[in-house]
């Protein structure tokens, strides 16, 4: 059986396939070695989800493991409001809703629904300004796009990295913690 794709890697892959590879190299290093200021701030702001202290209200499921056999993906959610049936992904500061954010949330949605949870609405929440952006449930075209991204991730290889068989966006490179290695 193929290994599961980590949900967080979907957003990383869309940002830049090379960042997924470089992240895996640094997995065993101390994060201070490669985390920039934005990554350190994001990690701190995410700690209350990881340790389950975002809220004591029983209606909130926080940081639970999710998986989908259909899509062969796994990861963690940020927040599921079991009363409102809302799935919420939190980001430090949202300036734009990127495809990677949507696909990450769709992946969580597919996992949760496959696991038997009812979800009526999807949200991405900007922590710094406490704004929520509703992301509509995926339609058939968006499901096809999502599946295409998963196919590309599964087919991507070290050879693609060596031969630079992917597009490079210099604007993204400026913001990438791994840019000194490229």
């Amino acid at each position: 059986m193929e290994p599961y794709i980590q949900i967080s890697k979907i957003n990383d892959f869309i940002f830049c396939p090379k960042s997924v590879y470089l992240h895996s190299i640094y997995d065993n290093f101390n994060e201070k070695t490669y985390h920039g200021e934005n990554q350190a701030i994001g990690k701190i702001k995410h700690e209350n989800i990881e340790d389950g202290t975002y809220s004591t209200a029983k209606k909130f499921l926080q940081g639970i493991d999710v998986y989908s056999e259909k899509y062969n993906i796994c990861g963690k959610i940020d927040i599921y409001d079991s009363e409102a049936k809302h799935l919420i992904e939190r980001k430090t500061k949202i300036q734009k809703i990127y495809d990677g954010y949507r696909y990450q949330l769709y992946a969580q949605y597919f996992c949760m629904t496959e696991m038997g949870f009812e979800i009526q609405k999807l949200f991405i929440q900007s922590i710094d300004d406490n704004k929520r952006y509703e992301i509509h449930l995926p339609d058939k075209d968006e499901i096809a796009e999502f599946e295409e991204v998963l196919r590309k991730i599964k087919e991507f290889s070290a050879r693609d990295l060596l031969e630079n068989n992917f597009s490079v966006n210099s604007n993204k490179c400026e913001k990438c913690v791994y840019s000194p290695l490229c």
Side-chain angles (χ1 to χ4, degrees):
M1 180 177 181
E2 284 183 53
Y4 280 87
I5 294 172
Q6 293 177 328
I7 291 172
S8 61
K9 300 293 190 257
I10 298 169
N11 186 28
D12 293 345
F13 184 85
I14 291 171
F15 179 78
C16 175
K18 200 170 196 175
S19 74
V20 175
Y21 169 74
L22 293 170
H23 184 83
S24 69
I25 289 175
Y26 280 104
D27 266 348
N28 295 320
F29 284 64
N30 182 316
E31 288 177 344
K32 292 178 184 175
T33 305
Y34 62 94
H35 267 191
E37 182 179 347
N38 290 339
Q39 289 76 24
I41 289 169
K43 184 164 179 65
I44 290 167
K45 291 186 176 192
H46 209 263
E47 285 176 351
N48 63 355
I49 296 295
E50 293 294 324
D51 61 19
T53 59
Y54 165 77
S55 173
T56 57
K58 299 279 187 224
K59 71 177 190 169
F60 293 116
L61 298 180
Q62 308 164 61
I64 64 168
D65 293 316
V66 295
Y67 66 93
S68 167
E69 287 186 38
K70 176 181 179 180
Y71 289 114
N72 206 36
I73 54 178
C74 67
K76 290 184 179 272
I77 64 159
D78 282 350
I79 302 163
Y80 174 68
D81 181 332
S82 63
E83 290 178 6
K85 311 290 189 234
H86 294 170
L87 180 59
I88 304 155
E89 171 66 19
R90 296 170 15 128
K91 301 290 183 191
T92 300
K93 174 85 172 157
I94 296 175
Q95 296 172 342
K96 177 183 175 183
I97 303 294
Y98 294 101
D99 287 342
Y101 294 176
R102 277 188 314 108
Y103 295 144
Q104 186 177 4
L105 190 56
Y106 289 168
Q108 294 170 13
Y109 165 78
F110 292 130
C111 290
M112 294 283 289
T113 55
E114 189 174 317
M115 292 170 63
F117 290 90
E118 180 185 350
I119 297 175
Q120 294 178 357
K121 291 189 177 186
L122 304 173
F123 292 97
I124 298 177
Q125 182 170 340
S126 180
I127 298 169
D128 281 356
D129 54 12
N130 202 29
K131 289 184 180 178
R132 271 197 186 166
Y133 302 89
E134 185 171 352
I135 306 299
H136 60 83
L137 299 176
D139 61 25
K140 70 176 188 164
D141 291 336
E142 289 159 327
I143 292 170
E145 289 171 13
F146 173 79
E147 290 172 346
E148 177 64 13
V149 168
L150 293 182
R151 184 192 64 72
K152 287 179 180 177
I153 292 171
K154 288 176 186 175
E155 292 178 0
F156 198 80
S157 70
R159 182 180 196 96
D160 293 319
L161 284 174
L162 293 171
E163 296 175 359
N164 287 321
N165 289 337
F166 57 94
S167 60
V168 174
N169 180 332
S170 60
N171 292 330
K172 289 181 179 182
C173 293
E174 290 175 11
K175 298 173 187 164
C176 182
V177 296
Y178 305 117
S179 62
L181 299 173
C182 287

